[in-house]
Amino acid sequence: MSDDKKFPAASEGMKELFNMQSDESTSDLDALSNDSGTENSLSNSSTDPSTSKPPMDLPIGDFDNSQLDSQLAEQAQVAEEVIQDLQAPDEVENLNDILKTQASVKQTTNESSLVEANFIQKIIGTKAWSLVKNFAPYVLIFAIGIGLYNFYFSDFSINSLLNNDSLKIESLVSSDQQNSDIMQLKEDSRDDYLEWIAQFFRDVNDETIIDMDTDVSGNGLTNFEKYLLNLNPKVYSTRGNIGDGQAVIEGINPWTGEKFTDKQKDLVEKYINKELISNRITAAALTRGVTKFAQYVNPDSPYYIDPEKLSELKLADTIIAAPGDTAPSDTVSGIYGGLKSASAVSLNPSEAIDQTKAGRLDIPSYGISVPLVWTQDVKNFDSDLRKGIVHYPGTALPGEVGTSYISGHSSGYLWDKNPYKTIFEKLGTVKDGTSFTITATQRNGAQVKFNYVVERRGEFAADDQAQFISTAESVVALSTCWPVGTTDRRLVLFSKLTQIERS
């Protein structure tokens, strides 16, 4: 081997640093060289620096002796500086032990944390998957069952599902652009309203059912008001306790059972007349006969009739009347109409009241003189009350035996331009024994005047049947919301017919 392939001589310290082999291991290296098929030219003497063999783990190649000497000198200098800094050789050994111990602890901790995390994740994942796998079929079957029930048998709608706690008026009308004219709001919302109402009455074209001013459920709210409040028009009570109309009267959101927020309260008062709600609740409570709403409403509605009985009535060609119309028969009226009133006094047809012409109520001692409108349908209450006071459809007419139920406003909103919005605000001050008259036009064109005297009074809930009790006498019940400015109760003055004057 040429001199430029020989390794430099190594001192004892360098031998120890690089773990150079002793004499005892030369036979293994010789064998390795012999196995490679090359001639062993290395000397067996370890004392000859020029022929010392490198350790097995070092690369064998061409080295520049001068470069190696320079690198070794630099490494020796660094080692010496470290030792000097530590001041004692044994501190180097202690430092190495500490570093090794820290590294070992850190590795053990990391491995332990990783194993623990993997174990917990595996356990949680396994349990979660097991629960999902075991219960998923039952959840799916339950969901399908609920869906089928809602689709075929309930009053469910997608609109109610997605917006079950919101008032539609909040999205329809911005707070800075409120139109006090409800008729304009109806016109602006007509297309959206028709799309909404179609969810509940599929293939129904009867205007008395889908009309904006109809109260199908009998809870006092019109279809349009239920649309504004995002309620189901067929449901009497959304929460199953008080009717939705009564809830609105009391300032309660029918969806949540909580008080309206300030914004909701302002909007409700702007677009919904609570006194009209009370009037409609009363009208529904005293309605006689079988109404065409019976097939749509829930059992808590005053219009509800058992489906089996309703089917029998239809098979018997029973006329299904609108609220306020004359009952098809006394039997049906007595059983399903709430209250059966006494038969009316038979009059000569020409002497019957012409209900197309307004009458007049006069209470001279209290300065009350107001037109009396013979309302033909409950849905006309709003418009008719702008013309005066209203006679409830389906109740006895003045002069007939039974109770003639008449109502008027006692208060109204500031924005409401109704000239008769406070016409009955003094009704509570009218004393028993006070006389008043009702003037009407007969079909023959003649005028007739009915004289009454106030006998008693009472305060009732809007749907309290006690206010509708009829006797064998001709009675007029003058009614209004009470106390003034509220819709909490209804004040009713019961008056007895004392004289009829015909011109």
Side-chain angles (χ1 to χ4, degrees):
M1 182 179 288
S2 59
D3 291 340
D4 61 347
K5 298 295 183 181
K6 294 180 180 179
F7 291 94
S11 64
E12 291 299 324
M14 294 303 296
K15 287 182 180 181
E16 182 177 358
L17 178 63
F18 286 97
N19 194 26
M20 290 185 177
Q21 301 296 325
S22 62
D23 292 341
E24 289 78 3
S25 63
T26 56
S27 58
D28 294 332
L29 292 175
D30 289 342
L32 180 61
S33 298
N34 291 336
D35 289 341
S36 63
T38 58
E39 182 180 352
N40 184 11
S41 59
L42 298 178
S43 170
N44 291 331
S45 175
S46 62
T47 59
D48 184 356
S50 64
T51 60
S52 298
K53 299 178 179 64
M56 289 290 292
D57 55 348
L58 290 181
I60 300 177
D62 296 336
F63 289 92
D64 185 337
N65 292 339
S66 60
Q67 291 180 357
L68 182 59
D69 290 340
S70 176
Q71 293 174 0
L72 292 175
E74 291 178 1
Q75 293 176 3
Q77 180 65 30
V78 171
E80 184 177 355
E81 291 176 356
V82 173
I83 292 173
Q84 289 177 356
D85 291 340
L86 295 174
Q87 296 180 351
D90 57 342
E91 292 187 16
V92 177
E93 182 176 355
N94 291 339
L95 178 62
N96 289 334
D97 292 341
I98 292 173
L99 293 176
K100 289 179 180 179
T101 301
Q102 289 179 343
S104 176
V105 171
K106 184 176 181 181
Q107 181 178 2
T108 302
T109 302
N110 290 341
E111 291 177 354
S112 176
S113 299
L114 181 61
V115 171
E116 183 178 356
N118 290 337
F119 177 75
I120 293 175
Q121 184 177 8
K122 184 176 181 180
I123 291 298
I124 293 176
T126 301
K127 288 186 176 181
W129 173 246
S130 178
L131 289 173
V132 171
K133 185 170 62 175
N134 290 336
F135 288 98
Y138 300 100
V139 173
L140 181 60
I141 293 173
F142 178 77
I144 293 174
I146 290 295
L148 291 174
Y149 172 81
N150 282 328
F151 184 80
Y152 288 106
F153 302 108
S154 79
D155 298 307
F156 167 83
S157 78
I158 297 298
N159 186 67
S160 297
L161 177 64
L162 298 178
N163 304 284
N164 65 344
D165 189 19
S166 64
L167 304 185
K168 211 170 185 67
I169 45 180
E170 293 191 25
S171 60
L172 283 176
V173 187
S174 61
S175 58
D176 58 349
Q177 191 178 359
Q178 293 179 345
N179 190 337
S180 61
D181 189 351
I182 192 68
M183 298 306 295
Q184 184 62 48
L185 180 59
K186 289 180 179 179
E187 186 62 32
D188 294 342
S189 308
R190 179 167 296 279
D191 290 342
D192 190 50
Y193 167 82
L194 292 175
E195 182 178 351
W196 171 82
I197 198 73
Q199 298 178 88
F200 307 98
F201 301 101
R202 298 178 182 86
D203 302 324
V204 175
N205 297 317
D206 188 338
E207 272 299 317
T208 60
I209 299 294
I210 63 175
D211 188 89
M212 285 186 174
D213 296 321
T214 296
D215 173 17
V216 174
S217 67
N219 64 11
L221 295 169
T222 66
N223 287 340
F224 186 71
E225 289 169 342
K226 291 165 188 171
Y227 159 77
L228 294 179
L229 296 170
N230 205 23
L231 300 171
N232 189 321
K234 297 190 290 185
V235 173
Y236 183 83
S237 174
T238 298
R239 295 181 60 82
N241 40 21
I242 64 174
D244 290 343
Q246 187 62 39
V248 173
I249 287 176
E250 297 176 11
I252 296 173
N253 187 333
W255 275 115
T256 64
E258 304 292 334
K259 290 290 185 180
F260 282 126
T261 64
D262 290 342
K263 180 181 179 181
Q264 292 172 346
K265 182 179 178 181
D266 290 343
L267 289 170
V268 167
E269 290 183 352
K270 189 73 172 179
Y271 294 101
I272 298 177
N273 190 316
K274 294 181 180 179
E275 193 164 359
L276 280 174
I277 296 174
S278 180
N279 287 338
R280 297 188 201 105
I281 292 174
T282 301
L286 61 78
T287 295
R288 297 174 296 166
V290 181
T291 76
K292 61 176 63 180
F293 304 149
Q295 57 188 312
Y296 300 112
V297 297
N298 287 10
D300 50 1
S301 167
Y303 297 143
Y304 177 79
I305 296 177
D306 178 79
E308 183 176 348
K309 187 63 180 179
L310 181 63
S311 177
E312 293 177 5
L313 294 173
K314 286 183 177 180
L315 290 174
D317 296 326
T318 302
I319 299 174
I320 307 299
D325 288 352
T326 303
S329 70
D330 285 343
T331 301
V332 174
S333 173
I335 298 176
Y336 299 106
L339 178 69
K340 178 183 176 183
S341 54
S343 301
V345 174
S346 297
L347 298 175
N348 188 322
S350 65
E351 295 180 346
I353 292 176
D354 183 353
Q355 298 182 45
T356 65
K357 297 178 181 179
R360 176 165 292 275
L361 168 72
D362 292 288
I363 311 179
S365 55
Y366 289 86
I368 297 176
S369 181
V370 58
L372 172 57
V373 180
W374 314 103
T375 297
Q376 299 302 302
D377 196 306
V378 173
K379 70 178 184 180
N380 298 328
F381 271 160
D382 189 13
S383 58
D384 287 350
L385 281 166
R386 295 180 181 276
K387 304 171 185 176
I389 58 177
V390 297
H391 169 264
Y392 274 49
T395 65
L397 292 170
E400 296 179 347
V401 174
T403 299
S404 178
Y405 201 91
I406 296 172
S407 183
H409 286 312
S410 60
S411 63
Y413 300 116
L414 292 176
W415 51 263
D416 191 351
K417 305 302 181 182
N418 181 2
Y420 302 107
K421 65 182 180 181
T422 60
I423 192 63
F424 270 178
E425 65 179 350
K426 296 180 180 178
L427 195 63
T429 64
V430 176
K431 297 179 180 179
D432 291 354
T434 300
S435 299
F436 66 89
T437 61
I438 292 177
T439 304
T441 301
Q442 297 177 337
R443 291 178 182 173
N444 59 13
Q447 296 288 306
V448 59
K449 183 178 291 186
F450 304 95
N451 292 269
Y452 290 89
V453 175
V454 177
E455 287 193 329
R456 59 188 176 89
R457 70 197 58 230
E459 293 185 22
F460 306 89
D463 59 353
D464 190 341
Q465 291 287 323
Q467 63 188 306
F468 310 132
I469 294 177
S470 292
T471 65
E473 299 177 312
S474 178
V475 174
V476 162
L478 301 179
S479 169
T480 192
C481 287
W482 202 257
V484 173
T486 74
T487 51
D488 297 341
R489 308 278 288 172
R490 298 193 69 85
L491 172 67
V492 183
L493 271 57
F494 298 95
S495 309
K496 180 180 178 181
L497 179 66
T498 58
Q499 183 181 2
I500 300 177
E501 302 177 39
R502 290 184 172 89
S503 59

mmCIF file of all heavy atoms in Angstrom, residues 298-334:
data_model
loop_
_atom_site.group_PDB
_atom_site.id
_atom_site.type_symbol
_atom_site.label_atom_id
_atom_site.label_comp_id
_atom_site.label_asym_id
_atom_site.label_seq_id
_atom_site.Cartn_x
_atom_site.Cartn_y
_atom_site.Cartn_z
ATOM 1 N N ASN A 298 -109.261 21.922 15.912
ATOM 2 C CA ASN A 298 -108.877 21.026 16.995
ATOM 3 C C ASN A 298 -110.010 20.892 18.012
ATOM 4 O O ASN A 298 -110.901 21.741 18.069
ATOM 5 C CB ASN A 298 -107.629 21.564 17.696
ATOM 6 C CG ASN A 298 -106.387 21.380 16.842
ATOM 7 O OD1 ASN A 298 -106.479 21.031 15.678
ATOM 8 N ND2 ASN A 298 -105.235 21.629 17.423
ATOM 9 N N PRO A 299 -109.965 19.851 18.856
ATOM 10 C CA PRO A 299 -111.051 19.627 19.827
ATOM 11 C C PRO A 299 -111.283 20.777 20.795
ATOM 12 O O PRO A 299 -112.390 20.918 21.320
ATOM 13 C CB PRO A 299 -110.587 18.364 20.575
ATOM 14 C CG PRO A 299 -109.746 17.637 19.582
ATOM 15 C CD PRO A 299 -109.021 18.713 18.816
ATOM 16 N N ASP A 300 -110.264 21.619 21.059
ATOM 17 C CA ASP A 300 -110.481 22.706 22.017
ATOM 18 C C ASP A 300 -111.175 23.908 21.385
ATOM 19 O O ASP A 300 -111.505 24.876 22.071
ATOM 20 C CB ASP A 300 -109.154 23.145 22.658
ATOM 21 C CG ASP A 300 -108.063 23.414 21.635
ATOM 22 O OD1 ASP A 300 -108.336 23.275 20.433
ATOM 23 O OD2 ASP A 300 -106.938 23.752 22.053
ATOM 24 N N SER A 301 -111.433 23.859 20.087
ATOM 25 C CA SER A 301 -112.130 24.953 19.416
ATOM 26 C C SER A 301 -113.623 24.888 19.695
ATOM 27 O O SER A 301 -114.206 23.801 19.763
ATOM 28 C CB SER A 301 -111.894 24.883 17.904
ATOM 29 O OG SER A 301 -112.783 25.739 17.205
ATOM 30 N N PRO A 302 -114.272 26.035 19.843
ATOM 31 C CA PRO A 302 -115.739 26.028 20.041
ATOM 32 C C PRO A 302 -116.483 25.529 18.812
ATOM 33 O O PRO A 302 -117.676 25.212 18.903
ATOM 34 C CB PRO A 302 -116.059 27.505 20.321
ATOM 35 C CG PRO A 302 -114.917 28.271 19.742
ATOM 36 C CD PRO A 302 -113.717 27.394 19.901
ATOM 37 N N TYR A 303 -115.819 25.457 17.668
ATOM 38 C CA TYR A 303 -116.461 24.971 16.443
ATOM 39 C C TYR A 303 -116.307 23.461 16.267
ATOM 40 O O TYR A 303 -116.822 22.888 15.307
ATOM 41 C CB TYR A 303 -115.847 25.652 15.211
ATOM 42 C CG TYR A 303 -116.056 27.144 15.160
ATOM 43 C CD1 TYR A 303 -115.067 27.985 14.669
ATOM 44 C CD2 TYR A 303 -117.240 27.723 15.595
ATOM 45 C CE1 TYR A 303 -115.247 29.357 14.614
ATOM 46 C CE2 TYR A 303 -117.430 29.097 15.548
ATOM 47 C CZ TYR A 303 -116.426 29.910 15.052
ATOM 48 O OH TYR A 303 -116.615 31.262 14.996
ATOM 49 N N TYR A 304 -115.609 22.808 17.187
ATOM 50 C CA TYR A 304 -115.309 21.379 17.014
ATOM 51 C C TYR A 304 -116.558 20.518 17.174
ATOM 52 O O TYR A 304 -117.409 20.751 18.037
ATOM 53 C CB TYR A 304 -114.270 20.939 18.043
ATOM 54 C CG TYR A 304 -113.957 19.463 17.996
ATOM 55 C CD1 TYR A 304 -113.106 18.943 17.028
ATOM 56 C CD2 TYR A 304 -114.514 18.585 18.922
ATOM 57 C CE1 TYR A 304 -112.816 17.585 16.985
ATOM 58 C CE2 TYR A 304 -114.229 17.230 18.893
ATOM 59 C CZ TYR A 304 -113.378 16.740 17.917
ATOM 60 O OH TYR A 304 -113.092 15.397 17.875
ATOM 61 N N ILE A 305 -116.653 19.492 16.314
ATOM 62 C CA ILE A 305 -117.686 18.473 16.406
ATOM 63 C C ILE A 305 -117.006 17.126 16.220
ATOM 64 O O ILE A 305 -116.113 16.980 15.379
ATOM 65 C CB ILE A 305 -118.776 18.664 15.334
ATOM 66 C CG1 ILE A 305 -119.502 19.989 15.561
ATOM 67 C CG2 ILE A 305 -119.777 17.519 15.353
ATOM 68 C CD1 ILE A 305 -120.538 20.292 14.502
ATOM 69 N N ASP A 306 -117.413 16.162 16.996
ATOM 70 C CA ASP A 306 -116.836 14.829 16.878
ATOM 71 C C ASP A 306 -116.924 14.359 15.424
ATOM 72 O O ASP A 306 -117.992 14.451 14.805
ATOM 73 C CB ASP A 306 -117.594 13.854 17.781
ATOM 74 C CG ASP A 306 -117.070 12.445 17.667
ATOM 75 O OD1 ASP A 306 -116.027 12.154 18.290
ATOM 76 O OD2 ASP A 306 -117.688 11.645 16.940
ATOM 77 N N PRO A 307 -115.818 13.880 14.845
ATOM 78 C CA PRO A 307 -115.807 13.505 13.417
ATOM 79 C C PRO A 307 -116.890 12.510 13.033
ATOM 80 O O PRO A 307 -117.472 12.606 11.954
ATOM 81 C CB PRO A 307 -114.415 12.896 13.232
ATOM 82 C CG PRO A 307 -113.581 13.553 14.280
ATOM 83 C CD PRO A 307 -114.487 13.743 15.461
ATOM 84 N N GLU A 308 -117.191 11.566 13.919
ATOM 85 C CA GLU A 308 -118.224 10.571 13.608
ATOM 86 C C GLU A 308 -119.597 11.237 13.507
ATOM 87 O O GLU A 308 -120.369 10.955 12.583
ATOM 88 C CB GLU A 308 -118.242 9.488 14.691
ATOM 89 C CG GLU A 308 -119.233 8.372 14.407
ATOM 90 C CD GLU A 308 -119.161 7.264 15.437
ATOM 91 O OE1 GLU A 308 -118.190 7.253 16.228
ATOM 92 O OE2 GLU A 308 -120.082 6.417 15.457
ATOM 93 N N LYS A 309 -119.888 12.135 14.450
ATOM 94 C CA LYS A 309 -121.168 12.832 14.423
ATOM 95 C C LYS A 309 -121.233 13.780 13.226
ATOM 96 O O LYS A 309 -122.276 13.892 12.562
ATOM 97 C CB LYS A 309 -121.353 13.631 15.719
ATOM 98 C CG LYS A 309 -122.736 14.254 15.850
ATOM 99 C CD LYS A 309 -123.814 13.173 15.919
ATOM 100 C CE LYS A 309 -125.200 13.769 16.044
ATOM 101 N NZ LYS A 309 -126.247 12.719 16.097
ATOM 102 N N LEU A 310 -120.118 14.431 12.938
ATOM 103 C CA LEU A 310 -120.077 15.328 11.790
ATOM 104 C C LEU A 310 -120.341 14.566 10.503
ATOM 105 O O LEU A 310 -121.050 15.029 9.613
ATOM 106 C CB LEU A 310 -118.717 16.032 11.719
ATOM 107 C CG LEU A 310 -118.533 17.024 10.572
ATOM 108 C CD1 LEU A 310 -119.522 18.171 10.697
ATOM 109 C CD2 LEU A 310 -117.106 17.550 10.554
ATOM 110 N N SER A 311 -119.802 13.353 10.415
ATOM 111 C CA SER A 311 -120.025 12.522 9.236
ATOM 112 C C SER A 311 -121.499 12.164 9.101
ATOM 113 O O SER A 311 -122.058 12.182 8.002
ATOM 114 C CB SER A 311 -119.170 11.249 9.322
ATOM 115 O OG SER A 311 -119.412 10.405 8.223
ATOM 116 N N GLU A 312 -122.149 11.858 10.217
ATOM 117 C CA GLU A 312 -123.571 11.531 10.180
ATOM 118 C C GLU A 312 -124.391 12.731 9.698
ATOM 119 O O GLU A 312 -125.335 12.579 8.909
ATOM 120 C CB GLU A 312 -124.037 11.111 11.570
ATOM 121 C CG GLU A 312 -123.444 9.795 12.049
ATOM 122 C CD GLU A 312 -123.885 9.460 13.456
ATOM 123 O OE1 GLU A 312 -124.731 10.221 14.006
ATOM 124 O OE2 GLU A 312 -123.410 8.463 14.016
ATOM 125 N N LEU A 313 -124.033 13.903 10.180
ATOM 126 C CA LEU A 313 -124.762 15.103 9.793
ATOM 127 C C LEU A 313 -124.622 15.375 8.300
ATOM 128 O O LEU A 313 -125.581 15.770 7.627
ATOM 129 C CB LEU A 313 -124.261 16.307 10.591
ATOM 130 C CG LEU A 313 -124.541 16.268 12.098
ATOM 131 C CD1 LEU A 313 -123.843 17.429 12.800
ATOM 132 C CD2 LEU A 313 -126.041 16.310 12.360
ATOM 133 N N LYS A 314 -123.437 15.134 7.774
ATOM 134 C CA LYS A 314 -123.220 15.356 6.349
ATOM 135 C C LYS A 314 -123.988 14.343 5.508
ATOM 136 O O LYS A 314 -124.558 14.673 4.472
ATOM 137 C CB LYS A 314 -121.721 15.270 6.038
ATOM 138 C CG LYS A 314 -120.931 16.478 6.519
ATOM 139 C CD LYS A 314 -119.476 16.359 6.107
ATOM 140 C CE LYS A 314 -118.694 17.594 6.510
ATOM 141 N NZ LYS A 314 -117.270 17.504 6.111
ATOM 142 N N LEU A 315 -124.010 13.090 5.989
ATOM 143 C CA LEU A 315 -124.736 12.056 5.253
ATOM 144 C C LEU A 315 -126.229 12.345 5.240
ATOM 145 O O LEU A 315 -126.938 11.953 4.319
ATOM 146 C CB LEU A 315 -124.468 10.680 5.880
ATOM 147 C CG LEU A 315 -123.040 10.129 5.690
ATOM 148 C CD1 LEU A 315 -122.860 8.835 6.478
ATOM 149 C CD2 LEU A 315 -122.765 9.887 4.205
ATOM 150 N N ALA A 316 -126.672 13.053 6.273
ATOM 151 C CA ALA A 316 -128.096 13.397 6.353
ATOM 152 C C ALA A 316 -128.397 14.702 5.630
ATOM 153 O O ALA A 316 -129.464 15.284 5.816
ATOM 154 C CB ALA A 316 -128.517 13.501 7.812
ATOM 155 N N ASP A 317 -127.408 15.164 4.840
ATOM 156 C CA ASP A 317 -127.564 16.401 4.072
ATOM 157 C C ASP A 317 -127.832 17.614 4.965
ATOM 158 O O ASP A 317 -128.567 18.529 4.606
ATOM 159 C CB ASP A 317 -128.694 16.273 3.040
ATOM 160 C CG ASP A 317 -128.387 15.230 1.985
ATOM 161 O OD1 ASP A 317 -127.192 15.100 1.639
ATOM 162 O OD2 ASP A 317 -129.314 14.555 1.528
ATOM 163 N N THR A 318 -127.251 17.566 6.160
ATOM 164 C CA THR A 318 -127.374 18.708 7.059
ATOM 165 C C THR A 318 -126.607 19.888 6.484
ATOM 166 O O THR A 318 -125.485 19.744 6.016
ATOM 167 C CB THR A 318 -126.808 18.363 8.448
ATOM 168 O OG1 THR A 318 -127.508 17.232 8.951
ATOM 169 C CG2 THR A 318 -126.962 19.533 9.410
ATOM 170 N N ILE A 319 -127.217 21.044 6.528
ATOM 171 C CA ILE A 319 -126.559 22.234 6.006
ATOM 172 C C ILE A 319 -125.463 22.672 6.971
ATOM 173 O O ILE A 319 -125.721 22.886 8.157
ATOM 174 C CB ILE A 319 -127.560 23.389 5.820
ATOM 175 C CG1 ILE A 319 -128.641 22.983 4.812
ATOM 176 C CG2 ILE A 319 -126.852 24.662 5.378
ATOM 177 C CD1 ILE A 319 -129.747 24.010 4.675
ATOM 178 N N ILE A 320 -124.249 22.765 6.466
ATOM 179 C CA ILE A 320 -123.155 23.253 7.289
ATOM 180 C C ILE A 320 -123.119 24.767 7.163
ATOM 181 O O ILE A 320 -122.827 25.317 6.105
ATOM 182 C CB ILE A 320 -121.803 22.656 6.857
ATOM 183 C CG1 ILE A 320 -121.905 21.134 6.815
ATOM 184 C CG2 ILE A 320 -120.701 23.093 7.786
ATOM 185 C CD1 ILE A 320 -122.239 20.507 8.145
ATOM 186 N N ALA A 321 -123.468 25.443 8.237
ATOM 187 C CA ALA A 321 -123.637 26.902 8.191
ATOM 188 C C ALA A 321 -122.364 27.618 8.576
ATOM 189 O O ALA A 321 -121.490 27.071 9.240
ATOM 190 C CB ALA A 321 -124.755 27.299 9.154
ATOM 191 N N ALA A 322 -122.261 28.852 8.150
ATOM 192 C CA ALA A 322 -121.169 29.713 8.581
ATOM 193 C C ALA A 322 -121.492 30.248 9.965
ATOM 194 O O ALA A 322 -122.658 30.285 10.367
ATOM 195 C CB ALA A 322 -120.984 30.860 7.595
ATOM 196 N N PRO A 323 -120.490 30.658 10.743
ATOM 197 C CA PRO A 323 -120.762 31.198 12.081
ATOM 198 C C PRO A 323 -121.747 32.351 12.004
ATOM 199 O O PRO A 323 -121.596 33.268 11.214
ATOM 200 C CB PRO A 323 -119.384 31.679 12.538
ATOM 201 C CG PRO A 323 -118.426 30.829 11.776
ATOM 202 C CD PRO A 323 -119.064 30.615 10.439
ATOM 203 N N GLY A 324 -122.771 32.264 12.829
ATOM 204 C CA GLY A 324 -123.760 33.340 12.854
ATOM 205 C C GLY A 324 -125.008 33.020 12.066
ATOM 206 O O GLY A 324 -126.046 33.635 12.277
ATOM 207 N N ASP A 325 -124.904 32.064 11.129
ATOM 208 C CA ASP A 325 -126.091 31.685 10.368
ATOM 209 C C ASP A 325 -127.054 30.915 11.262
ATOM 210 O O ASP A 325 -126.690 30.370 12.297
ATOM 211 C CB ASP A 325 -125.708 30.805 9.169
ATOM 212 C CG ASP A 325 -125.012 31.601 8.083
ATOM 213 O OD1 ASP A 325 -124.985 32.839 8.211
ATOM 214 O OD2 ASP A 325 -124.490 30.989 7.138
ATOM 215 N N THR A 326 -128.290 30.841 10.836
ATOM 216 C CA THR A 326 -129.291 30.110 11.598
ATOM 217 C C THR A 326 -128.941 28.632 11.651
ATOM 218 O O THR A 326 -128.528 28.050 10.657
ATOM 219 C CB THR A 326 -130.681 30.270 10.951
ATOM 220 O OG1 THR A 326 -130.976 31.658 10.870
ATOM 221 C CG2 THR A 326 -131.741 29.568 11.776
ATOM 222 N N ALA A 327 -129.096 28.025 12.804
ATOM 223 C CA ALA A 327 -128.780 26.605 12.957
ATOM 224 C C ALA A 327 -129.677 25.761 12.074
ATOM 225 O O ALA A 327 -130.850 26.077 11.877
ATOM 226 C CB ALA A 327 -128.962 26.205 14.424
ATOM 227 N N PRO A 328 -129.160 24.649 11.515
ATOM 228 C CA PRO A 328 -129.956 23.811 10.636
ATOM 229 C C PRO A 328 -131.132 23.141 11.336
ATOM 230 O O PRO A 328 -132.121 22.824 10.718
ATOM 231 C CB PRO A 328 -128.951 22.770 10.130
ATOM 232 C CG PRO A 328 -127.827 22.806 11.116
ATOM 233 C CD PRO A 328 -127.775 24.206 11.618
ATOM 234 N N SER A 329 -131.010 22.932 12.648
ATOM 235 C CA SER A 329 -132.130 22.347 13.390
ATOM 236 C C SER A 329 -131.942 22.632 14.869
ATOM 237 O O SER A 329 -130.844 22.871 15.329
ATOM 238 C CB SER A 329 -132.202 20.825 13.161
ATOM 239 O OG SER A 329 -131.108 20.191 13.804
ATOM 240 N N ASP A 330 -133.044 22.570 15.613
ATOM 241 C CA ASP A 330 -132.941 22.805 17.044
ATOM 242 C C ASP A 330 -132.091 21.738 17.722
ATOM 243 O O ASP A 330 -131.380 22.004 18.685
ATOM 244 C CB ASP A 330 -134.341 22.823 17.675
ATOM 245 C CG ASP A 330 -135.089 24.106 17.365
ATOM 246 O OD1 ASP A 330 -134.411 25.076 16.961
ATOM 247 O OD2 ASP A 330 -136.321 24.138 17.520
ATOM 248 N N THR A 331 -132.172 20.497 17.212
ATOM 249 C CA THR A 331 -131.403 19.414 17.820
ATOM 250 C C THR A 331 -129.916 19.668 17.682
ATOM 251 O O THR A 331 -129.163 19.585 18.649
ATOM 252 C CB THR A 331 -131.758 18.064 17.152
ATOM 253 O OG1 THR A 331 -133.149 17.840 17.308
ATOM 254 C CG2 THR A 331 -130.971 16.943 17.786
ATOM 255 N N VAL A 332 -129.508 19.979 16.466
ATOM 256 C CA VAL A 332 -128.092 20.245 16.238
ATOM 257 C C VAL A 332 -127.653 21.471 17.014
ATOM 258 O O VAL A 332 -126.595 21.522 17.623
ATOM 259 C CB VAL A 332 -127.815 20.437 14.734
ATOM 260 C CG1 VAL A 332 -126.369 20.864 14.511
ATOM 261 C CG2 VAL A 332 -128.102 19.146 13.985
ATOM 262 N N SER A 333 -128.517 22.488 17.022
ATOM 263 C CA SER A 333 -128.187 23.718 17.729
ATOM 264 C C SER A 333 -128.004 23.458 19.215
ATOM 265 O O SER A 333 -127.047 23.917 19.818
ATOM 266 C CB SER A 333 -129.294 24.751 17.511
ATOM 267 O OG SER A 333 -129.081 25.882 18.319
ATOM 268 N N GLY A 334 -128.932 22.699 19.792
ATOM 269 C CA GLY A 334 -128.867 22.459 21.227
ATOM 270 C C GLY A 334 -127.660 21.653 21.646
ATOM 271 O O GLY A 334 -127.096 21.877 22.707
#
